[in-house]
Amino acid sequence: MNYFENKKILLIICGGISAYKSLELIRLFKKNGARVKTILTKNAKEFVTPLSVSSLSQEKVYDDIFGAENEAEMDHISLSRWADAVLVAPITANTISKVASGNAEDLASTVLLASNKQIFLAPAMNVRMWEHPSTKENILKLKSFGYKIIGPEIGDMACGEYGEGKMTEPNEIVNTLKNYFSNLDKNKKLKALVTAGPTNEYIDPVRFITNKSSGKQGYEIAKCLRDNGFDTTLISGKTSIKPLDGVNFVSVETAEEMFKESLNNLPTDVAIFSAAVSDFKVKNYKSTKIKKNEEFNLELEKNIDILNHISNHNSLRPKITIGFAAETNNLSTNAKEKLNEKNCDWVIANDVSDQTIGFGSDFNKISIFYKDKPEENFEKMSKSLVAEEIVKRIIQQIN
Ligand code: CTP
């Protein structure tokens, strides 16, 4: 079967003894129907020749030596736009460090910086280099940018040492990309809805009640769903985050607007309610500005519970309905209660009393409570990695 029919892969080869395996990678991609364009770094050419690479790929090979000519034919932007996915195999500790710090000193690092496609990295290096805290930190950073890391594996190394650092075998790397594309194709048929951010409940035309939600976690989830092929709609309260490219963006302010827009976007296959919806709205809203010499007693009434309404709306209930629980105490008991009361498939709980995670922070520490299996507790990680863990599980459950 031609797993990569009509797919375009940009393969960047860095210097390293495992660069010879990249030739096998090209062969496998081509055999399965892909087009492969290649960039060789200066050091890669010490290990593989442009001629062997172009003979296998049957495409021009790009490098830095003939930079001007390369740029005239296809510049770094066009190269990254041309590809459906970018793979760097092998990637060295040096290039990892360059990419993690946003360096753009050669064609390879410039293309990576300019890319708007999924980037896969298959590291290969000596075990000590791989285990060095700076490499570990760089890898963590790259993961939080959304790069997918393949391997490395444990084994005997070319340098004579043994340990983790061997490049993953070409057929395994090819399998990872195959799964990526096949998920993308499957997920393209699926719709996802995400609510995010705070709601504003107006007291008068210039004052409102709101909360500390930054919307970051919801936006990361929407981004990750989009990157995995879902037709994604993000219904967001006012935040300081830019709308996401490739996501249907609906801006709202009040809980009522969020509710209306959520209903407008049903049916959907997955719904993730990460918004911090105000539980109350103002009962005695005043349509003119309240002056300080006026007597005014704020009266509140319950807002509609969007999640509760949709999860109990049988005909339009999304196949996977996920709620969030932001708690300051009794996390597990409260999350389980919400799971039942709000008829969710999962509730994702986090402790918002911890200032280093949750509201406003780039980090989160979550537990997922499931309707039909024991809960999962996660370590503290960036909100983009949290989003990846969540979306990975959504894909597993929905397919
Ligand atoms: N939610 C909603 N509409 C509301 C209130 C909450 O859709 N009017 C959703 C949130 O997006 C979240 C979940 O319900 O997914 C939990 O919300 P939360 O405010 O933490 O819980 P409450 O039900 O309001 O309970 P409590 O205030 O007692 O914590």
Side-chain angles (χ1 to χ4, degrees):
M1 204 173 137
N2 276 353
Y3 296 114
F4 297 105
E5 187 90 64
N6 299 326
K7 297 288 187 266
K8 291 178 272 183
I9 295 165
L10 177 63
L11 173 66
I12 299 176
I13 307 177
C14 299
I17 191 73
S18 45
Y20 77 92
K21 290 189 190 170
S22 310
L23 298 178
E24 175 65 0
L25 266 174
I26 300 172
R27 198 187 64 78
L28 289 172
F29 282 134
K30 296 278 297 173
K31 189 176 141 209
N32 286 290
R35 275 188 72 188
V36 186
K37 285 192 192 282
T38 319
I39 297 175
L40 290 186
T41 65
K42 190 164 143 269
N43 289 336
K45 287 196 278 181
E46 306 286 328
F47 297 91
V48 287
T49 66
L51 183 63
S52 53
V53 171
S54 64
S55 307
L56 274 168
S57 65
Q58 292 161 317
E59 303 268 359
K60 183 176 157 42
V61 175
Y62 297 83
D63 58 26
D64 289 296
I65 306 268
F66 304 109
E69 188 191 310
N70 278 338
E71 288 277 320
E73 193 174 305
M74 191 172 239
D75 62 36
H76 56 281
I77 306 285
S78 322
L79 258 178
S80 71
R81 298 296 175 274
W82 171 85
D84 293 312
V86 181
L87 166 66
V88 194
I91 184 163
T92 56
N94 185 35
T95 305
I96 285 173
S97 153
K98 280 202 268 183
V99 182
S101 60
N103 183 314
E105 69 173 22
D106 57 8
L107 183 63
S109 50
T110 312
V111 165
L112 288 168
L113 198 62
S115 172
N116 60 349
K117 299 294 161 42
Q118 181 63 59
I119 298 174
F120 296 85
L121 308 176
M125 66 196 75
N126 169 273
V127 55
R128 299 267 169 261
M129 293 169 84
W130 174 248
E131 285 174 354
H132 197 283
S134 63
T135 308
K136 288 271 166 271
E137 207 175 288
N138 288 334
I139 289 288
L140 218 57
K141 203 163 159 190
L142 291 172
K143 279 188 184 170
S144 77
F145 297 162
Y147 289 56
K148 301 229 183 296
I149 316 295
I150 309 173
E153 312 302 325
I154 298 174
D156 289 317
M157 307 196 156
C159 57
E161 291 187 24
Y162 178 86
E164 198 174 2
K166 269 171 78 82
M167 187 171 103
T168 301
E169 287 306 318
N171 55 353
E172 272 306 306
I173 296 178
V174 168
N175 267 340
T176 305
L177 270 87
K178 188 177 95 188
N179 288 340
Y180 165 72
F181 283 123
S182 100
N183 266 335
L184 216 56
D185 288 343
K186 268 193 255 167
N187 296 340
K188 270 195 184 117
K189 296 177 202 109
L190 297 173
K191 278 184 72 185
L193 170 72
V194 181
T195 69
T199 63
N200 296 341
E201 306 302 330
Y202 278 86
I203 302 167
D204 71 9
V206 294
R207 302 178 178 99
F208 53 77
I209 302 169
T210 191
N211 59 65
K212 283 173 66 177
S213 170
S214 65
K216 283 180 185 168
Q217 188 61 77
Y219 276 62
E220 288 297 340
I221 294 170
K223 202 191 291 176
C224 195
L225 285 161
R226 172 202 69 187
D227 291 346
N228 280 281
F230 287 82
D231 174 5
T232 307
T233 298
L234 173 64
I235 300 174
S236 172
K238 293 284 173 215
T239 72
S240 57
I241 315 173
K242 264 195 353 225
L244 302 166
D245 289 338
V247 166
N248 314 309
F249 184 75
V250 185
S251 173
V252 295
E253 239 183 308
T254 64
E256 239 159 73
E257 287 166 8
M258 189 174 273
F259 176 58
K260 228 167 46 204
E261 291 298 341
S262 300
L263 290 185
N264 278 346
N265 281 284
L266 295 180
T268 185
D269 298 282
V270 191
I272 300 133
F273 296 90
S274 73
V277 184
S278 172
D279 288 326
F280 296 94
K281 65 179 173 186
V282 177
K283 196 173 174 189
N284 52 341
Y285 169 77
K286 188 145 184 294
S287 58
T288 52
K289 189 182 164 199
I290 302 162
K291 307 300 278 180
K292 61 173 155 302
N293 54 6
E294 262 182 78
E295 180 104 344
F296 185 79
N297 288 314
L298 191 60
E299 283 178 55
L300 300 175
E301 63 182 334
K302 274 264 163 66
N303 248 333
I304 178 108
D305 190 314
I306 306 168
L307 164 60
N308 207 341
H309 181 92
I310 290 179
S311 67
N312 286 306
H313 202 297
N314 285 340
S315 65
L316 290 176
R317 186 185 187 280
K319 276 190 226 91
I320 304 183
T321 303
I322 302 173
F324 265 74
E327 306 292 346
T328 52
N329 54 328
N330 300 331
L331 187 113
S332 165
T333 317
N334 290 339
K336 284 178 189 159
E337 245 171 53
K338 276 179 194 160
L339 188 68
N340 286 328
E341 275 171 19
K342 302 204 182 197
N343 188 27
C344 296
D345 296 289
W346 319 352
V347 160
I348 301 170
N350 59 348
D351 177 357
V352 288
S353 68
D354 182 342
Q355 296 287 319
T356 67
I357 54 170
F359 286 139
S361 157
D362 287 330
F363 293 88
N364 208 351
K365 185 173 183 311
I366 60 154
S367 299
I368 306 184
F369 293 84
Y370 299 97
K371 191 167 67 181
D372 52 2
K373 57 182 178 189
E375 78 224 41
E376 276 189 283
N377 300 302
F378 296 80
E379 291 304 314
K380 176 179 164 183
M381 52 188 151
S382 68
K383 286 186 173 171
S384 62
L385 280 185
V386 166
E388 268 192 41
E389 293 296 339
I390 293 169
V391 171
K392 194 160 82 187
R393 284 163 180 76
I394 291 173
I395 294 171
Q396 275 164 6
Q397 186 163 327
I398 210 153
N399 287 316

Coordinates of all heavy atoms in Angstrom, one line a residue, residues 143-211:
K143 N 9.9 19.9 22.7 CA 8.7 19.2 22.8 C 7.6 20.2 23.1 O 6.4 20.1 22.6 CB 8.7 18.2 24.0 CG 9.4 16.9 23.6 CD 9.2 15.9 24.7 CE 9.9 14.6 24.5 NZ 10.0 13.7 25.6
S144 N 7.9 21.2 23.9 CA 6.9 22.2 24.3 C 6.5 23.1 23.1 O 5.5 23.7 23.0 CB 7.3 23.0 25.5 OG 8.2 24.0 25.1
F145 N 7.4 23.2 22.1 CA 7.1 23.9 20.8 C 6.2 23.0 19.9 O 5.8 23.5 18.9 CB 8.4 24.2 20.1 CG 9.3 25.2 20.8 CD1 10.6 25.3 20.3 CD2 8.9 26.0 21.8 CE1 11.5 26.2 20.9 CE2 9.8 26.9 22.4 CZ 11.1 26.9 22.0
G146 N 6.1 21.8 20.3 CA 5.2 20.9 19.4 C 6.0 20.0 18.5 O 5.5 19.2 17.7
Y147 N 7.4 20.0 18.6 CA 8.2 19.1 17.8 C 8.0 17.6 18.3 O 7.8 17.4 19.5 CB 9.7 19.4 18.0 CG 10.1 20.7 17.3 CD1 9.6 21.9 17.6 CD2 11.2 20.7 16.4 CE1 10.0 23.1 17.0 CE2 11.6 21.8 15.8 CZ 11.0 23.0 16.1 OH 11.4 24.2 15.5
K148 N 8.0 16.7 17.4 CA 7.8 15.3 17.9 C 9.2 14.6 17.8 O 9.9 14.7 16.8 CB 6.9 14.5 17.0 CG 5.5 15.1 16.9 CD 4.4 14.0 17.2 CE 3.0 14.6 17.1 NZ 2.7 15.6 18.0
I149 N 9.6 14.0 19.0 CA 10.9 13.4 19.1 C 10.8 11.9 18.9 O 10.0 11.3 19.6 CB 11.6 13.7 20.4 CG1 11.4 15.2 20.9 CG2 13.0 13.3 20.5 CD1 12.0 16.2 20.0
I150 N 11.6 11.4 18.0 CA 11.5 9.9 17.7 C 12.9 9.3 18.2 O 13.9 9.7 17.7 CB 11.4 9.6 16.2 CG1 10.3 10.4 15.6 CG2 11.3 8.1 16.0 CD1 10.2 10.3 14.0
G151 N 12.8 8.5 19.2 CA 14.0 7.9 19.8 C 14.7 8.9 20.7 O 14.1 9.8 21.2
P152 N 16.0 8.7 20.9 CA 16.9 7.7 20.3 C 16.7 6.3 21.1 O 16.1 6.3 22.1 CB 18.3 8.3 20.5 CG 18.2 9.1 21.7 CD 16.8 9.6 21.7
E153 N 17.4 5.3 20.5 CA 17.3 4.0 21.1 C 18.6 3.7 21.9 O 19.6 4.3 21.8 CB 17.2 3.0 20.0 CG 16.1 3.3 18.9 CD 14.7 3.5 19.5 OE1 14.4 2.8 20.4 OE2 14.0 4.4 19.0
I154 N 18.4 2.6 22.7 CA 19.6 2.1 23.5 C 20.3 1.1 22.7 O 19.7 0.2 22.0 CB 19.1 1.5 24.8 CG1 18.4 2.5 25.6 CG2 20.2 0.8 25.6 CD1 17.7 2.0 26.9
G155 N 21.7 1.1 22.7 CA 22.4 0.1 22.0 C 23.9 0.4 21.9 O 24.4 1.4 22.5
D156 N 24.6 -0.4 21.1 CA 26.1 -0.2 20.9 C 26.2 1.0 20.0 O 25.5 1.1 19.0 CB 26.7 -1.4 20.3 CG 26.8 -2.5 21.3 OD1 27.2 -2.3 22.4 OD2 26.5 -3.7 20.9
M157 N 27.1 1.9 20.3 CA 27.3 3.0 19.4 C 28.5 2.9 18.6 O 29.5 2.2 18.9 CB 27.4 4.3 20.3 CG 26.3 4.3 21.3 SD 26.1 6.0 21.9 CE 24.4 5.9 22.4
A158 N 28.6 3.8 17.5 CA 29.7 3.8 16.6 C 31.0 4.1 17.4 O 32.1 3.6 17.1 CB 29.5 4.8 15.5
C159 N 30.9 4.9 18.5 CA 32.1 5.3 19.2 C 32.6 4.2 20.2 O 33.6 4.4 20.8 CB 31.7 6.6 20.0 SG 30.3 6.4 21.1
G160 N 31.9 3.1 20.2 CA 32.3 2.0 21.0 C 31.6 2.0 22.4 O 31.7 1.0 23.1
E161 N 30.9 3.0 22.7 CA 30.2 3.0 24.0 C 28.8 2.4 23.9 O 28.3 2.1 22.7 CB 30.0 4.4 24.6 CG 31.4 5.0 25.0 CD 31.3 6.3 25.7 OE1 30.2 6.7 26.2 OE2 32.3 7.1 25.7
Y162 N 28.1 2.1 25.0 CA 26.8 1.5 25.0 C 25.8 2.5 25.7 O 26.2 3.0 26.8 CB 26.9 0.2 25.7 CG 25.5 -0.5 25.7 CD1 25.0 -1.3 24.7 CD2 24.7 -0.3 26.9 CE1 23.8 -1.9 24.8 CE2 23.4 -0.9 26.9 CZ 23.0 -1.7 25.9 OH 21.8 -2.3 25.9
G163 N 24.7 2.6 25.2 CA 23.7 3.5 25.9 C 22.6 4.0 25.0 O 22.5 3.6 23.9
E164 N 21.9 5.0 25.5 CA 20.8 5.6 24.7 C 21.4 6.7 23.8 O 22.1 7.6 24.3 CB 19.8 6.3 25.7 CG 18.5 6.5 25.1 CD 17.4 7.0 26.1 OE1 17.7 7.2 27.2 OE2 16.3 7.2 25.6
G165 N 21.1 6.7 22.6 CA 21.7 7.7 21.7 C 21.7 7.2 20.2 O 22.1 8.0 19.3
K166 N 21.4 6.0 20.0 CA 21.4 5.5 18.6 C 20.1 6.0 17.9 O 19.0 6.0 18.5 CB 21.2 3.9 18.6 CG 22.5 3.2 18.6 CD 22.2 1.7 18.9 CE 21.7 1.0 17.6 NZ 22.8 0.6 16.8
M167 N 20.3 6.3 16.6 CA 19.1 6.8 15.9 C 18.1 5.6 15.7 O 18.6 4.5 15.5 CB 19.5 7.3 14.5 CG 18.4 7.9 13.8 SD 18.8 8.8 12.2 CE 18.4 7.6 11.0
T168 N 16.9 5.9 15.8 CA 15.8 4.9 15.6 C 15.9 4.3 14.2 O 16.3 5.1 13.3 CB 14.4 5.6 15.9 OG1 14.4 6.0 17.2 CG2 13.3 4.6 15.7
E169 N 15.6 3.1 14.1 CA 15.8 2.4 12.8 C 14.8 3.1 11.7 O 13.7 3.4 12.1 CB 15.4 0.9 12.9 CG 16.5 0.1 13.5 CD 17.9 0.3 12.9 OE1 18.0 0.3 11.7 OE2 18.9 0.4 13.6
P170 N 15.3 3.2 10.5 CA 14.4 3.8 9.4 C 13.0 3.3 9.4 O 12.1 4.1 9.3 CB 15.2 3.5 8.2 CG 16.6 3.4 8.6 CD 16.6 2.8 10.0
N171 N 12.8 2.0 9.5 CA 11.4 1.5 9.3 C 10.5 2.0 10.5 O 9.3 2.2 10.3 CB 11.3 0.0 9.1 CG 12.0 -0.8 10.2 OD1 12.6 -0.2 11.0 ND2 11.8 -2.1 10.1
E172 N 11.1 2.2 11.7 CA 10.4 2.7 12.8 C 10.0 4.2 12.6 O 8.9 4.6 12.9 CB 11.2 2.6 14.1 CG 11.0 1.3 14.8 CD 9.6 1.0 15.1 OE1 8.9 1.8 15.7 OE2 9.1 -0.1 14.7
I173 N 11.0 4.9 12.1 CA 10.7 6.3 11.8 C 9.6 6.5 10.7 O 8.7 7.3 10.9 CB 12.0 7.0 11.3 CG1 13.1 7.0 12.4 CG2 11.8 8.5 10.8 CD1 14.4 7.6 12.1
V174 N 9.7 5.7 9.7 CA 8.7 5.7 8.6 C 7.3 5.4 9.2 O 6.3 6.0 8.9 CB 9.1 4.7 7.5 CG1 8.0 4.5 6.5 CG2 10.3 5.3 6.8
N175 N 7.3 4.4 10.2 CA 6.0 4.0 10.8 C 5.4 5.2 11.6 O 4.2 5.4 11.6 CB 6.2 2.9 11.8 CG 6.0 1.6 11.2 OD1 5.3 1.5 10.1 ND2 6.5 0.5 11.7
T176 N 6.3 6.0 12.3 CA 5.8 7.1 13.0 C 5.2 8.1 12.1 O 4.1 8.6 12.4 CB 7.0 7.8 13.8 OG1 7.6 6.8 14.6 CG2 6.5 8.9 14.7
L177 N 5.8 8.4 11.0 CA 5.2 9.3 10.0 C 3.9 8.8 9.4 O 3.0 9.5 9.1 CB 6.2 9.8 9.0 CG 7.0 11.0 9.4 CD1 8.2 10.6 10.3 CD2 7.4 11.9 8.3
K178 N 4.0 7.5 9.1 CA 2.8 6.8 8.6 C 1.6 7.0 9.5 O 0.5 7.4 9.1 CB 3.1 5.3 8.4 CG 2.1 4.6 7.6 CD 2.5 3.1 7.4 CE 1.9 2.3 8.5 NZ 2.4 0.9 8.4
N179 N 1.8 6.7 10.8 CA 0.7 6.9 11.8 C 0.3 8.3 11.9 O -0.9 8.6 12.0 CB 1.2 6.5 13.2 CG 1.3 5.0 13.3 OD1 0.8 4.2 12.5 ND2 2.1 4.5 14.2
Y180 N 1.2 9.2 11.8 CA 0.9 10.7 11.8 C -0.1 11.0 10.7 O -1.1 11.6 10.9 CB 2.2 11.5 11.8 CG 1.9 13.0 11.5 CD1 1.3 13.8 12.4 CD2 2.2 13.5 10.2 CE1 1.1 15.1 12.2 CE2 2.0 14.8 10.0 CZ 1.4 15.7 10.9 OH 1.2 17.0 10.6
F181 N 0.3 10.6 9.5 CA -0.5 11.0 8.3 C -1.9 10.2 8.4 O -2.9 10.8 8.0 CB 0.2 10.7 7.0 CG 1.2 11.7 6.7 CD1 2.6 11.3 6.5 CD2 0.9 13.0 6.5 CE1 3.5 12.3 6.2 CE2 1.9 14.0 6.2 CZ 3.2 13.6 6.0
S182 N -1.9 9.0 8.8 CA -3.1 8.2 8.8 C -4.1 8.8 9.9 O -5.3 8.9 9.6 CB -2.9 6.7 8.9 OG -3.1 6.3 10.2
N183 N -3.5 9.2 11.1 CA -4.4 9.9 12.1 C -5.0 11.2 11.5 O -6.1 11.5 11.7 CB -3.6 10.3 13.3 CG -3.6 9.2 14.3 OD1 -4.6 8.4 14.4 ND2 -2.6 9.1 15.2
L184 N -4.1 11.9 10.8 CA -4.5 13.2 10.2 C -5.7 13.0 9.3 O -6.7 13.7 9.3 CB -3.3 13.8 9.5 CG -3.1 15.3 9.5 CD1 -3.0 15.8 10.9 CD2 -1.8 15.6 8.7
D185 N -5.6 12.0 8.4 CA -6.6 11.7 7.5 C -7.9 11.3 8.2 O -9.0 11.7 7.8 CB -6.2 10.6 6.5 CG -5.1 11.2 5.5 OD1 -5.0 12.4 5.4 OD2 -4.4 10.4 4.9
K186 N -7.8 10.4 9.2 CA -9.0 9.9 10.0 C -9.6 11.1 10.7 O -10.8 11.3 10.7 CB -8.6 8.9 11.0 CG -8.6 7.5 10.5 CD -8.5 6.5 11.6 CE -7.1 5.9 11.6 NZ -6.8 5.1 12.8
N187 N -8.8 11.9 11.4 CA -9.3 13.0 12.2 C -9.9 14.1 11.4 O -10.7 14.9 11.9 CB -8.2 13.6 13.1 CG -7.7 12.5 14.1 OD1 -8.4 11.6 14.3 ND2 -6.5 12.7 14.6
K188 N -9.5 14.2 10.1 CA -10.1 15.3 9.3 C -11.6 15.2 9.2 O -12.3 16.2 8.9 CB -9.5 15.2 7.8 CG -8.2 16.0 7.7 CD -7.8 16.3 6.3 CE -6.5 17.0 6.4 NZ -5.4 16.3 5.8
K189 N -12.1 14.0 9.4 CA -13.6 13.8 9.3 C -14.2 14.1 10.7 O -15.4 14.0 10.8 CB -13.9 12.3 9.0 CG -13.4 12.0 7.6 CD -13.6 10.5 7.3 CE -12.6 10.1 6.2 NZ -11.6 9.2 6.6
L190 N -13.4 14.5 11.7 CA -14.0 14.7 13.0 C -14.0 16.2 13.4 O -13.1 16.9 13.0 CB -13.1 14.0 14.0 CG -13.1 12.4 13.9 CD1 -12.1 11.8 14.8 CD2 -14.5 11.9 14.1
K191 N -15.1 16.5 14.1 CA -15.2 17.9 14.5 C -14.9 18.0 16.0 O -15.3 17.1 16.8 CB -16.6 18.4 14.3 CG -16.9 18.9 12.9 CD -18.3 19.4 12.8 CE -18.4 20.8 13.4 NZ -19.8 21.3 13.4
A192 N -14.2 19.1 16.4 CA -14.0 19.3 17.8 C -14.4 20.7 18.2 O -14.2 21.7 17.4 CB -12.5 19.1 18.1
L193 N -14.9 20.8 19.4 CA -15.3 22.1 20.0 C -14.6 22.4 21.3 O -14.5 21.5 22.1 CB -16.8 22.1 20.2 CG -17.4 23.3 21.0 CD1 -17.5 24.5 20.1 CD2 -18.9 22.9 21.4
V194 N -14.0 23.5 21.4 CA -13.3 23.9 22.7 C -13.8 25.2 23.2 O -13.9 26.2 22.4 CB -11.7 24.0 22.4 CG1 -11.0 24.3 23.7 CG2 -11.2 22.7 21.8
T195 N -14.2 25.3 24.5 CA -14.5 26.6 25.1 C -13.3 27.0 25.9 O -12.6 26.1 26.5 CB -15.7 26.6 25.9 OG1 -15.5 25.8 27.1 CG2 -16.9 26.0 25.2
A196 N -12.9 28.2 25.9 CA -11.7 28.7 26.7 C -11.9 30.1 27.2 O -12.7 30.8 26.7 CB -10.5 28.6 25.7
G197 N -11.0 30.4 28.2 CA -11.0 31.7 28.7 C -12.1 32.0 29.7 O -12.9 31.2 30.1
P198 N -12.1 33.3 30.2 CA -13.1 33.7 31.2 C -14.4 34.2 30.5 O -14.4 34.4 29.3 CB -12.4 34.8 31.9 CG -11.6 35.5 30.8 CD -11.2 34.4 29.8
T199 N -15.4 34.4 31.3 CA -16.6 35.1 30.7 C -16.7 36.4 31.5 O -16.2 36.5 32.6 CB -17.9 34.4 30.8 OG1 -18.2 34.1 32.2 CG2 -17.9 33.0 30.1
N200 N -17.3 37.4 30.8 CA -17.5 38.7 31.5 C -19.0 38.9 31.7 O -19.7 38.8 30.7 CB -17.0 39.9 30.6 CG -15.5 39.8 30.4 OD1 -14.8 39.2 31.1 ND2 -15.0 40.5 29.3
E201 N -19.4 39.2 32.9 CA -20.8 39.3 33.2 C -21.0 40.8 33.6 O -20.5 41.3 34.6 CB -21.2 38.4 34.3 CG -20.9 36.9 34.1 CD -21.5 36.4 32.8 OE1 -22.6 36.9 32.4 OE2 -21.0 35.4 32.2
Y202 N -21.7 41.5 32.7 CA -21.7 43.0 32.9 C -22.7 43.4 34.0 O -23.8 42.9 34.2 CB -22.2 43.6 31.6 CG -21.0 43.8 30.6 CD1 -20.5 42.7 29.8 CD2 -20.2 45.0 30.7 CE1 -19.4 42.9 29.0 CE2 -19.1 45.1 29.9 CZ -18.7 44.1 29.1 OH -17.6 44.2 28.3
I203 N -22.2 44.5 34.7 CA -23.0 45.1 35.8 C -23.7 46.3 35.2 O -24.8 46.6 35.4 CB -22.1 45.5 37.0 CG1 -21.3 44.3 37.5 CG2 -22.8 46.2 38.1 CD1 -20.2 44.6 38.5
D204 N -22.9 47.1 34.4 CA -23.4 48.2 33.6 C -22.5 48.2 32.4 O -21.7 47.3 32.2 CB -23.3 49.5 34.5 CG -21.9 50.0 34.8 OD1 -21.0 49.5 34.2 OD2 -21.8 50.9 35.6
P205 N -22.7 49.2 31.5 CA -21.9 49.1 30.2 C -20.4 49.1 30.4 O -19.7 48.7 29.4 CB -22.4 50.4 29.4 CG -23.7 50.7 30.0 CD -23.6 50.3 31.5
V206 N -19.9 49.5 31.5 CA -18.4 49.6 31.6 C -17.8 48.7 32.7 O -16.6 48.7 32.9 CB -17.9 51.1 31.9 CG1 -18.2 52.0 30.7 CG2 -18.6 51.6 33.1
R207 N -18.6 48.0 33.4 CA -18.1 47.2 34.5 C -18.6 45.8 34.4 O -19.8 45.5 34.0 CB -18.5 47.8 35.9 CG -18.1 49.2 36.1 CD -18.6 49.7 37.4 NE -18.2 51.0 37.7 CZ -18.9 52.1 37.5 NH1 -20.1 52.0 37.0 NH2 -18.4 53.3 37.8
F208 N -17.7 44.9 34.7 CA -18.2 43.5 34.6 C -17.5 42.6 35.7 O -16.5 43.0 36.3 CB -18.0 42.9 33.3 CG -16.6 43.0 32.7 CD1 -15.6 42.2 33.1 CD2 -16.3 43.9 31.7 CE1 -14.3 42.3 32.6 CE2 -15.0 44.1 31.2 CZ -14.0 43.2 31.6
I209 N -18.0 41.4 35.9 CA -17.5 40.4 36.8 C -16.7 39.4 35.9 O -17.3 39.0 34.9 CB -18.6 39.7 37.6 CG1 -19.4 40.7 38.4 CG2 -17.9 38.6 38.5 CD1 -20.6 40.0 39.0
T210 N -15.5 39.1 36.3 CA -14.7 38.1 35.5 C -13.9 37.3 36.4 O -14.1 37.3 37.6 CB -13.9 38.8 34.4 OG1 -13.4 37.9 33.5 CG2 -12.7 39.6 34.9
N211 N -13.0 36.5 35.8 CA -12.1 35.7 36.7 C -10.7 35.7 36.1 O -10.4 36.3 35.0 CB -12.7 34.3 36.8 CG -12.9 33.6 35.5 OD1 -11.9 33.3 34.8 ND2 -14.1 33.4 35.1

